[in-house]
């Protein structure tokens, strides 16, 4: 099973129960506005938020838990990794604070504890201990309108397509997260375009780890290749110089 | 004071300034000491200190390759300074990185926890290994001074060629991998900079920068120590640099055309401007200058062109590292003075270390004369402090220490940091209410003004301690709460009464005083009853009582009718789900789709609540 969340923005009425439930579940302290906050409501102390888009569409912003997470591929020490259920989780004890995950995330989800002298990266962790125990995440459990629901990814995808097929006039014919960035565990259906959730750009279907993979796969070959090249060049040039020296020496002796 | 002493004084001042900022950085965290945000997690410490620093230190592998691989022995004189620069450059990168990392004491995790898929992992390893290689390459120079180390030195000298080859391999890897770092950010990096061949472009520009950095550095040290620069030797470097930069420009423009992004160059925005400026400074101007043979062989010409190339390529690294990243809200990152102070301070410390090395070890063929070691000079007397400053060498050090401490003190003075875990109200300016007791404010944040009795509110809410009740600022850019935050009934979801509509010039056009008598606290309780205007609002026999002079909304009324029983029955029958919304609202869309709801409500007039018809409103 691949755990997934389906959020239907047409059902969300902006009640923020999910936000409150998330705070309670993860024991997050009171959030205060900071210079470094973006105005999407997410912060190191707020892992999910409800963002208002065009036409009063409310969409819950949270980590998408990509099937091929860019953050996990970027992290040099493997502090972020994907669990079997699909949750992308963070191990603070490994982190060294380079913030490459924040740069790599196509949705700009991970947040940093800028105010702390010992800062960590913070983001939604899909309540992985709850889903591992067979329960659903706190946010989906709290949702009173069932705008955001938890389930198996394939089933939720089918459900999403079903809903769109039943009411094609209402929904945009796209399930956000089905293919975006190689597919994500958090899916959205909506009556408006949801690119406001990803800073205005449309995330393409290409998995982001693949972009660096080509370069990284070439590393061992490039390394040995360059070294072999240099060693070879050095040997050839040295040999030529030696021969030149020898022959010129002989010529002198002949004369 | 001679040139070296003046420079050292300036450098020590900058290091002192950086020292004060460093204290703030480690005591109070990154938020207090940088302009970084969640939108721009990388700033000038990555762009300049790490990426620029690594590129600036590229001279090491260029020169060692020239001399030891291509056996161009005439360049031997510049090997030692180039390797020293590279070593100190990488050391500066490592130290600069310690400032940027959130948890710098965990930097060794890279050795233990592996993620070979990450380009940063590869860069980190290469920098670690290359730093070791550079240390081994340079070690024979200081070892000359210590006869005890002769054996180790001899071994290292023998191992020079393999070391050089490994060094070149590592260098070309991580110079390009710094570009690979950004391949994973196609949505973040601007299309003028983002390219799948970013690693290749980084490698080419690093070679160009390495060549121009050797030229720049030779001229700088020659100027400082009144030496004759190796202008003829450097002319061949300038020639090579010209070709490398030409290749770079061709690759960069061709890449733009192939990616079909060339149109971006002519968009009216500051980024294409930045692109042109960058390409101009880093490549076009140096190419033009180096192409003229007379410029290429002149001291001033070499120095000017090399300076352009160095600045331009470092600018390119800074742009890629953080400046050329479009932010969702349109704002862009500018480093704070503290960030710049650290960057400059780390470079200054590296330059000081470089000067120390060339003065104490045989980096050049002949060691420069100690500028302070004038045997004929008498100890200095400071007329201001009325003290003897000691022999010139000691006097110089006294001055440097003084500069360092003063700069650190000034730095502390300018630091504006908050404690690590403060209450944290820092972004929103708080202004005291001015101009008498009544303020004209946009009370409901709806664009309409309202006369607000600030003094009266303050008194009623509990004096000076009460500010936070309204000015609590717990929302981004929230300077004061809207009136409706306390006067909740103003925006209750009522059908019958809409405060906005009543007050609006396009609605009922009722002035405040017409409902709320002047001199009173303006609440729903004190307002006039609805039936003052709306005759027969509540027909006799209606079961809904109108509370607080306000008609209860249909949804409110219905909920109150149902929910009470539901709660009671849920307890009796021990069926807690009876209290849930979806017990009644089986079809969710009815509740959510407000248009349908309004239509339904409109059809319910006359049952329990009489909704005012448009005629009644008139």
């Amino acid at each position: 099973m691949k755990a997934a969340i389906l959020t239907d923005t047409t059902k969300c009425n902006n009640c923020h129960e999910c936000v409150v439930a998330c705070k309670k579940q993860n024991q997050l302290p009171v959030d205060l506005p900071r210079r470094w906050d973006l105005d999407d409501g997410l912060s190191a102390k707020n892992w999910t938020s409800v963002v208002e888009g065009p036409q009063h569409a409310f969409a819950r912003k949270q980590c998408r838990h990509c099937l091929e997470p860019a953050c996990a591929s970027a992290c040099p020490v493997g502090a972020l990794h994907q669990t079997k259920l699909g949750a992308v989780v963070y191990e603070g004890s490994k982190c060294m604070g380079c913030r490459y995950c924040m740069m790599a995330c196509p949705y700009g989800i991970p947040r940093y504890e800028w105010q702390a002298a010992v800062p960590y990266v913070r983001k939604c962790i899909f309540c992985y201990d709850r889903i591992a125990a067979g329960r659903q995440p706190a946010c989906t459990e709290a949702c009173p309108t069932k705008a955001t629901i938890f389930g198996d990814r394939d089933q939720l995808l089918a459900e999403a397509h079903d809903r769109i097929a039943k009411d094609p006039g209402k929904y945009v014919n796209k399930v956000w997260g089905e293919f975006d960035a190689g597919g994500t565990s958090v899916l959205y259906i909506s009556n408006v375009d949801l690119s406001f959730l990803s800073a205005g750009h449309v995330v393409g279907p290409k998995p982001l780890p693949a972009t660096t993979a080509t370069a990284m796969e070439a590393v061992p070959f490039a390394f040995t290749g360059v070294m072999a090249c240099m060693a070879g060049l050095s040997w050839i040039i040295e040999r030529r110089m030696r021969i030149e020296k020898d022959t010129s020496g002989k010529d002198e002796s002949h004369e | 004071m001679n040139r070296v002493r003046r420079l050292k004084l300036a450098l020590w001042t900058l290091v002192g300034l950086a020292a004060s900022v460093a204290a703030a950085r480690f005591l109070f965290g990154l938020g207090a000491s940088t302009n970084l945000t969640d939108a721009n997690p990388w700033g000038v410490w990555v762009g300049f200190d790490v990426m620029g620093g690594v590129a600036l230190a590229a001279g090491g592998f260029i020169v060692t390759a020239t001399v030891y691989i291509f056996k161009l022995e005439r360049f031997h004189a510049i090997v030692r300074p180039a390797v020293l620069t590279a070593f100190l450059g990488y050391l500066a990168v490592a130290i600069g990185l310690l400032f940027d990392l959130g948890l710098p004491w965990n930097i060794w995790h890279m050795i233990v926890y592996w993620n070979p898929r990450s380009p940063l992992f590869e860069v980190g390893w290469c920098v670690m290994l290359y730093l070791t290689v550079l240390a081994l390459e340079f070690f024979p120079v200081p070892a000359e001074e210590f006869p005890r180390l002769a054996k180790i030195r001899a071994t290292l000298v023998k191992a020079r060629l393999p070391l050089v080859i490994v060094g070149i391999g590592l260098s070309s890897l991580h110079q390009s991998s710094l570009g690979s770092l950004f391949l994973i950010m196609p949505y973040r990096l601007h299309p003028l900079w983002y390219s799948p061949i970013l690693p290749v472009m980084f490698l080419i520009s690093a070679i160009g920068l390495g060549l121009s950095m050797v030229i720049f550095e030779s001229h700088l040290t020659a100027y400082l120590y009144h030496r004759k620069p190796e202008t003829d030797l450097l002319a061949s470097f300038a020639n090579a640099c010209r070709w490398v930069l030409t290749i770079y420009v061709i690759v960069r423009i061709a890449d733009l055309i192939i990616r079909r992004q060339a149109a971006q160059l002519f968009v009216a925005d500051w980024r294409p401007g930045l692109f042109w400026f960058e390409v101009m400074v880093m490549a076009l101007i140096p190419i033009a200058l180096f192409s003229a043979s007379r410029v290429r062989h002149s001291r001033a010409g070499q120095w000017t062109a090399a300076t352009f190339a160095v600045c331009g390529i470092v600018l390119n690294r800074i742009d890629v590292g953080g400046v050329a990243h479009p932010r969702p809200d349109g704002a862009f990152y500018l480093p704070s003075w503290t960030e710049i102070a650290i960057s400059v301070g780390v470079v200054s410390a590296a330059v000081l270390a470089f000067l120390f090395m060339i003065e104490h070890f045989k980096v050049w063929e002949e060691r420069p004369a100690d500028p302070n070691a004038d045997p004929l000079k008498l100890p200095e007397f400071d007329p201001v402090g009325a003290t003897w400053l000691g022999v010139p060498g000691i006097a110089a050090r006294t001055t440097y220490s003084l500069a360092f401490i003063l700069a650190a003190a000034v730095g502390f003075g300018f630091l504006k940091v908050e404690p690590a875990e403060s209450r944290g109200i820092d972004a929103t300016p708080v202004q005291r209410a001015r101009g008498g007791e009544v303020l004209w404010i946009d009370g409901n944040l709806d664009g309409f003004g309202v006369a607000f009795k600030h003094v009266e509110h303050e008194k009623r809410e509990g004096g000076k301690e009460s500010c936070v009740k309204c000015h609590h600022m717990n929302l981004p850019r929230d300077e004061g709460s809207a009136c409706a935050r306390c006067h909740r009934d103003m925006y209750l979801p009522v059908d019958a009464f809409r405060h906005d509509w009543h007050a609006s010039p396009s609605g009922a056009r009722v002035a405040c005083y017409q409902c709320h008598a002047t001199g009173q606290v303006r609440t729903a309780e004190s307002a006039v009853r609805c039936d003052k205007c709306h005759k027969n609002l509540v027909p006799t026999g209606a079961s809904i009582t109108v509370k607080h002079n306000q008609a209860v909304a249909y949804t409110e009324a219905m909920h109150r009718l149902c929910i009470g029983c539901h709660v009671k029955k849920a307890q009796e029958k021990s069926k807690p789900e009876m209290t849930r919304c979806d017990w009644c609202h089986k079809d969710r869309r009815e509740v959510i789709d407000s248009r349908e709801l309004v239509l339904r409500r409109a059809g319910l007039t006359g049952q329990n609540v009489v909704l005012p018809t448009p005629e009644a409103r008139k």
Side-chain angles (χ1 to χ4, degrees):
Chain A
M1 177 197 166
K2 281 277 179 205
I5 286 177
L6 172 64
T7 299
D8 184 341
T9 66
T10 63
K11 292 194 172 198
C12 178
N13 62 1
N14 196 20
C15 71
H16 281 73
E17 285 292 326
C18 49
V19 180
V20 176
C22 176
K23 282 222 170 206
K24 279 185 185 158
Q25 169 68 28
N26 297 300
Q27 297 168 359
L28 299 174
V30 178
D31 205 3
L32 292 156
R34 296 295 203 152
R35 172 184 62 74
W36 45 80
D37 286 342
L38 274 86
D39 40 8
D40 60 358
L42 288 188
S43 74
K45 294 169 183 167
N46 218 5
W47 300 351
T48 184
S49 67
V50 183
V51 184
E52 187 175 354
Q55 299 172 34
H56 301 288
F58 297 106
R60 188 157 76 87
K61 192 163 183 176
Q62 66 169 119
C63 174
R64 306 288 181 106
H65 297 280
C66 304
L67 301 185
E68 293 186 50
C71 54
S73 132
C75 181
V77 293
L80 287 148
H81 70 93
Q82 196 177 33
T83 63
K84 273 181 190 163
L85 282 170
V88 180
V89 297
Y90 171 71
E91 274 176 80
S93 59
K94 280 188 180 177
C95 181
M96 58 178 206
C98 68
R99 308 187 293 285
Y100 190 24
C101 50
M102 302 173 70
M103 297 291 287
C105 178
Y107 299 100
I109 296 295
R111 298 299 151 102
Y112 210 54
E113 293 179 331
W114 297 104
Q115 80 286 357
V118 184
Y120 293 95
V121 175
R122 296 289 179 222
K123 71 168 194 73
C124 160
I125 49 169
F126 216 147
C127 291
Y128 70 95
D129 44 351
R130 284 175 69 121
I131 61 171
R135 296 165 70 199
Q136 58 168 318
C139 50
T140 55
E141 193 178 77
C143 183
T145 63
K146 292 214 167 33
T148 180
I149 53 173
F150 173 78
D152 178 59
R153 188 165 185 273
D154 295 333
Q155 285 174 11
L156 285 186
L157 265 178
E159 164 81 21
H161 283 295
D162 198 37
R163 282 189 201 176
I164 294 173
K166 272 186 185 158
D167 203 343
K170 184 172 169 184
Y171 293 102
V172 175
N173 189 16
K174 175 179 179 180
V175 180
W176 277 269
E178 188 177 13
F179 304 114
D180 304 15
T184 65
S185 299
V186 176
L187 309 164
Y188 290 89
I189 49 173
S190 174
N191 54 340
V192 293
D193 181 44
L194 284 184
S195 55
F196 66 87
L197 279 180
S198 47
H201 50 245
V202 178
V203 177
K206 193 180 183 189
L208 290 175
T211 55
T212 47
T214 354
M216 294 309 294
E217 277 158 14
V219 160
F221 305 105
F223 186 50
T224 44
V226 167
M227 289 209 301
C229 224
M230 286 298 146
L233 269 176
S234 165
W235 183 76
I236 291 169
I237 293 170
E238 194 172 0
R239 188 167 166 272
R240 272 194 183 175
M241 284 168 77
R242 206 175 54 229
I243 291 169
E244 207 173 308
K245 208 174 171 187
D246 287 356
T247 47
S248 61
K250 267 178 200 164
D251 289 349
E252 274 166 30
S253 68
H254 272 291
E255 280 172 4
Chain B
M1 253 205 280
N2 57 47
R3 286 169 183 174
V4 180
R5 270 183 73 175
R6 268 202 300 272
L7 178 72
K8 280 188 178 174
L9 189 64
L11 293 174
W12 275 110
T13 313
L14 293 170
V15 174
L17 199 63
S20 65
V21 179
R25 152 71 188 89
F26 288 111
L27 285 175
F28 305 119
L30 288 164
S33 52
T34 67
N35 268 357
L36 298 175
T37 64
D38 281 330
N40 276 301
W42 281 1
V44 76
W45 287 350
V46 172
F48 177 75
D49 292 29
V50 176
M51 289 170 45
V54 167
L56 281 172
F61 89 95
I62 306 285
V63 175
T64 49
T66 316
V67 173
Y68 295 113
I69 303 295
F70 298 102
K71 324 275 182 205
L72 301 172
E73 279 296 321
R74 61 200 164 97
F75 291 102
H76 207 127
I78 53 172
V79 169
R80 285 183 169 193
V83 172
L84 177 60
T85 317
F87 175 66
L88 291 173
Y90 275 89
L91 211 55
V93 167
I95 291 167
L97 190 62
L98 291 180
F99 285 96
D100 184 68
L101 289 182
L103 309 164
W105 46 88
N106 283 351
I107 193 168
W108 56 273
H109 281 186
M110 200 123 67
I111 305 171
V112 188
Y113 305 116
W114 283 34
N115 181 13
R117 287 191 303 162
S118 166
L120 193 59
F121 170 80
E122 196 235 301
V123 171
W125 263 93
C126 278
V127 169
M128 273 191 287
L129 292 176
Y130 189 47
L131 194 55
T132 318
V133 167
L134 281 170
L136 294 177
E137 275 180 19
F138 186 70
F139 184 76
V141 177
E144 278 174 352
E145 311 289 320
F146 306 99
R148 275 184 174 181
L149 302 173
K151 238 182 189 171
I152 307 174
R153 185 176 181 274
T155 325
L156 284 175
V157 170
K158 262 186 214 157
R160 182 172 282 151
L161 188 62
L163 276 178
V164 165
I165 291 174
V166 172
I168 294 167
L170 290 170
S171 285
S172 46
L173 265 200
H174 69 260
Q175 292 288 2
S176 54
S177 286
L178 280 174
S180 312
L181 279 186
F182 294 89
L183 290 180
I184 206 162
M185 313 171 192
Y187 306 111
R188 176 179 273 276
L189 194 58
H190 192 270
L192 282 177
W193 282 270
Y194 183 85
S195 159
I197 57 158
L198 211 51
V200 179
M201 294 204 277
F202 263 54
L203 184 61
I204 301 174
S205 54
I207 294 172
L209 180 55
L211 292 167
S212 37
M213 191 61 194
V214 171
I215 301 171
F216 175 80
E217 181 198 307
S218 298
H219 283 294
L220 179 68
T221 45
Y223 167 79
L224 283 176
Y225 292 99
H226 301 278
R227 293 168 80 243
K228 200 179 160 299
E230 303 91 340
T231 314
D232 295 332
L233 212 55
L234 296 173
S236 12
F237 267 70
N239 196 24
C241 184
R242 165 168 74 119
W243 290 113
V244 171
L245 290 177
T246 311
I247 294 170
Y248 178 81
V249 173
I250 293 169
V251 168
R252 190 139 182 212
I253 302 292
D255 167 68
L256 274 181
I257 294 165
I258 291 167
R259 283 190 296 118
R260 294 164 196 278
Q261 296 289 352
Q264 288 274 357
L265 287 174
F266 307 103
V267 176
D269 187 22
W270 57 271
R271 289 191 198 88
L274 183 65
F275 177 90
W276 283 118
F277 179 72
E278 190 189 293
V279 172
M280 203 78 125
V281 173
M282 80 190 281
L284 297 182
I285 295 176
I287 291 171
L289 286 174
F290 279 148
S291 295
S293 172
R294 226 180 64 201
V295 176
R296 200 160 67 229
H297 287 91
S298 85
R299 187 174 173 173
Q302 280 183 1
W303 202 355
T304 317
T307 311
F308 267 112
V310 167
C311 294
I313 298 172
V314 170
L315 176 70
N316 169 258
R317 297 303 195 265
I318 295 174
D319 287 346
V320 174
V323 175
H325 294 204
R327 255 178 69 149
D329 53 2
F332 60 95
Y333 158 83
L334 273 180
S336 64
W337 76 266
T338 42
E339 283 170 83
I340 295 168
I342 289 282
S343 297
V344 172
V346 170
V347 173
S348 303
V351 175
L352 280 172
F354 182 84
L355 296 181
F356 175 86
M357 294 303 276
I358 55 175
E359 281 170 16
H360 290 81
F361 300 105
K362 218 183 139 193
V363 178
W364 289 332
E365 297 298 317
E366 83 288 359
R367 205 175 300 165
D370 185 349
N372 302 314
D374 184 357
L376 299 175
K377 204 171 177 201
L378 289 168
E380 278 178 71
F381 181 76
D382 178 26
V384 181
T387 44
W388 286 99
L389 294 173
V391 291
I394 302 291
R397 278 172 223 170
T398 316
T399 328
Y400 301 152
S401 311
L402 191 65
F404 177 87
I405 291 168
L406 278 180
V410 169
F412 274 120
F414 277 104
L415 279 174
K416 209 165 68 182
V417 291
E418 48 174 337
E421 284 288 354
S422 78
R423 293 276 320 284
I425 301 168
D426 52 10
T428 315
V430 178
Q431 292 169 345
R432 283 177 61 82
R434 291 182 299 260
E437 52 184 57
V438 180
L439 303 175
W440 186 254
I441 58 166
D442 183 9
N444 288 327
L445 311 176
D446 56 0
F448 293 106
V450 61
F452 176 76
K453 295 188 174 175
H454 188 270
V455 173
E456 210 164 277
H457 277 80
E458 192 183 306
K459 266 185 216 154
R460 201 188 313 140
E461 297 301 327
K464 295 274 180 212
E465 305 297 310
S466 66
C467 304
V468 289
K469 281 192 181 175
C470 301
H471 303 285
H472 48 38
M473 292 173 275
N474 60 358
L475 293 168
R477 288 187 267 292
D478 182 12
E479 296 187 5
S481 300
C483 298
R485 287 213 132 202
C486 298
H487 300 277
R488 298 302 288 255
D489 42 8
M490 198 183 284
Y491 287 109
L492 265 184
V494 293
D495 301 324
F497 179 73
R498 287 184 295 157
H499 187 274
D500 266 6
W501 183 84
H502 279 78
S504 156
S506 55
R509 277 211 220 189
V510 181
C512 301
Y513 71 89
Q514 283 176 287
C515 297
H516 304 279
T518 39
Q520 274 186 327
V521 179
R522 285 174 176 172
T523 59
E525 286 87 353
S526 63
V528 297
R529 294 179 64 91
C530 299
D531 51 9
K532 185 196 160 199
C533 306
H534 304 285
K535 308 293 179 194
N536 298 324
L537 181 66
V538 185
T540 43
S543 61
I544 301 297
T545 49
V546 178
K547 265 189 185 173
H548 305 315
N549 206 10
Q550 186 176 32
V552 175
Y554 169 74
T555 37
E556 294 285 307
M558 277 313 184
H559 277 133
R560 256 175 246 171
L561 275 176
C562 308
I563 289 171
C565 269
H566 270 252
V567 171
K568 216 192 285 170
K569 290 285 173 194
Q571 281 170 344
E572 282 174 17
K573 297 188 173 180
S574 61
K575 268 189 179 174
E577 63 271 25
M578 278 187 74
T579 56
R580 293 184 62 101
C581 299
D582 54 357
W583 184 262
C584 300
H585 301 287
K586 302 281 188 204
D587 183 6
R588 307 273 71 231
R589 279 175 53 199
E590 273 181 27
V591 182
I592 303 306
D593 198 321
S594 57
R595 209 157 33 116
E596 280 178 34
L597 199 62
V598 170
L599 288 174
R600 272 170 57 111
R601 284 182 203 169
L604 280 167
T605 38
Q607 287 194 7
N608 279 326
V609 178
V610 180
L611 291 166
T613 55
E615 292 82 54
R617 278 190 190 135
K618 285 169 193 164

